[in-house]
Amino acid sequence: MANKTYIQSFCTIEENQIKVNGKILFEKEQSLFSDFSKSVYQHFNIDYPKFFKMDNLSKLAFLATELLLEKTENEEQENNTALVFSNKSSSLDTDTKYQSSITDKGSYYPSPAVFVYTLPNICLGEISIRHQLKSENSFFVFAQFNPLFMMNYANILLEKNKATSVLCGWVEYFDEEYKTLLYLVGAEGELEHSEESIKKLYK
Amino acid sequence: MEALKQELKSKIIEVLNLEDINIEDVNDDDPLFGDGLGLDSIDALELIVMLDKDYGIKLVDPKEGKDIFQSIETMGAYITANRTK
């Protein structure tokens, strides 16, 4: 029988508010995501200029990860933290921005800096660079959040010793609408890693 | 030339999203890549697009960029000599 796994910490970002382990750490009055994300960056004293070059999906994933992985930085364990993310809109927000930049034949200047973000799994690369992860990573696109799939996938990675912990969840962004739930799963903890637990965190 | 160099600094900061850098922080001879502004390969491609879009200069061989994009000074000199708009 497989060993039990646990949710060690979790972070949600939606409607201009950030919670870690259920506690509100930051919130801002109604604002555009660009303003909100910049405020978060400043509030938590993050020093990583490349953040401002990222697309919105990567910024969202980056910020949530920053708050969950900050305390385990430089540990060997962290280098073996797998990333398993999912969402509904893939990279559509950036795809449409790129598309609009190439529709006018009279002003055809495709932006390389925008183009490189026209895949959802780019955010996994950004996080891996930031946290020096050389681990397994996957990005799935579902019509809606799929807790059972995510749980099984994370457990398989842990059972097969492909990772010592798994950062997983939902990172959805399209046209100023966003919602993120990322949670860290490992062999130890108090909150059982079950479909029900994940559903409760996502609500 | 002085006005062009100021314009370039402003455009580079805006186009490349150099959020924590001001115009005053960029000296004309500062290297744009490496230890200077720390630009990367994607930024280099973005600068090539900027030359085309804003100054009507098409770089056929991206390797040319290595000399042109050394600094604001070298960019300014190249644009002054080759601009079509």
Side-chain angles (χ1 to χ4, degrees), chain A residues 142-190:
Chain A
F142 295 119
Q144 57 189 11
F145 185 47
N146 191 334
L148 181 60
F149 178 92
M150 298 302 286
M151 183 191 73
N152 287 336
Y153 201 95
N155 282 343
I156 289 169
L157 288 173
L158 294 168
E159 282 166 21
K160 302 288 182 189
N161 292 319
K162 297 286 186 186
T164 51
S165 57
V166 185
L167 181 65
C168 43
W170 183 256
V171 186
E172 164 66 15
Y173 186 101
F174 180 66
D175 196 19
E176 291 293 330
E177 295 286 322
Y178 58 93
K179 180 182 175 79
T180 294
L181 163 66
L182 290 185
Y183 52 94
L184 192 63
V185 180
E188 295 172 359
E190 293 178 3

Side-chain angles (χ1 to χ4, degrees), chain A residues 38 49 52-53 109 111-113, chain B residues 16-17 19-20 43 46 53:
Chain A
K38 185 176 176 180
F52 294 104
K53 294 171 181 282
Y109 299 105
S111 165
Chain B
L16 303 183
N17 294 309
E19 191 77 25
D20 52 353
D43 294 325
E46 211 54 57
K53 186 178 180 182

Side-chain angles (χ1 to χ4, degrees), chain B:
Chain B
M1 179 72 169
E2 206 50 46
L4 174 62
K5 287 193 283 192
Q6 289 301 108
E7 178 182 297
L8 282 173
K9 290 175 187 177
S10 173
K11 280 187 177 178
I12 286 173
I13 288 170
E14 185 194 342
V15 171
L16 303 183
N17 294 309
L18 305 177
E19 191 77 25
D20 52 353
I21 293 176
N22 298 311
I23 291 180
E24 307 81 61
D25 300 332
V26 186
N27 297 312
D28 295 351
D29 292 322
D30 283 348
L32 298 181
F33 293 83
D35 293 338
L37 288 185
L39 305 186
D40 60 23
S41 57
I42 300 298
D43 294 325
L45 295 174
E46 211 54 57
L47 291 180
I48 291 173
V49 173
M50 191 181 88
L51 282 189
D52 186 7
K53 186 178 180 182
D54 296 344
Y55 304 104
I57 299 171
K58 286 189 188 296
L59 284 192
V60 181
D61 181 4
K63 287 177 188 167
E64 286 182 89
K66 192 174 178 184
D67 293 326
I68 299 165
F69 300 138
Q70 278 183 28
S71 64
I72 293 292
E73 187 72 40
T74 57
M75 272 189 84
Y78 185 82
I79 290 170
T80 301
N82 295 280
R83 68 188 302 170
T84 61
K85 64 179 178 185

Side-chain angles (χ1 to χ4, degrees), chain A residues 12-55:
Chain A
T12 57
I13 304 179
E14 59 184 323
E15 296 175 352
N16 296 309
Q17 187 183 72
I18 295 184
K19 289 183 189 173
V20 173
N21 298 331
K23 183 181 169 190
I24 298 173
L25 290 194
F26 182 83
E27 57 187 337
K28 188 175 168 68
E29 294 285 307
Q30 199 70 26
S31 61
L32 293 174
F33 181 75
S34 56
D35 296 331
F36 171 71
S37 59
K38 185 176 176 180
S39 298
V40 175
Y41 178 93
Q42 292 168 336
H43 179 79
F44 291 102
N45 295 315
I46 299 169
D47 182 18
Y48 196 66
K50 194 172 187 294
F51 173 80
F52 294 104
K53 294 171 181 282
M54 296 178 193
D55 73 340

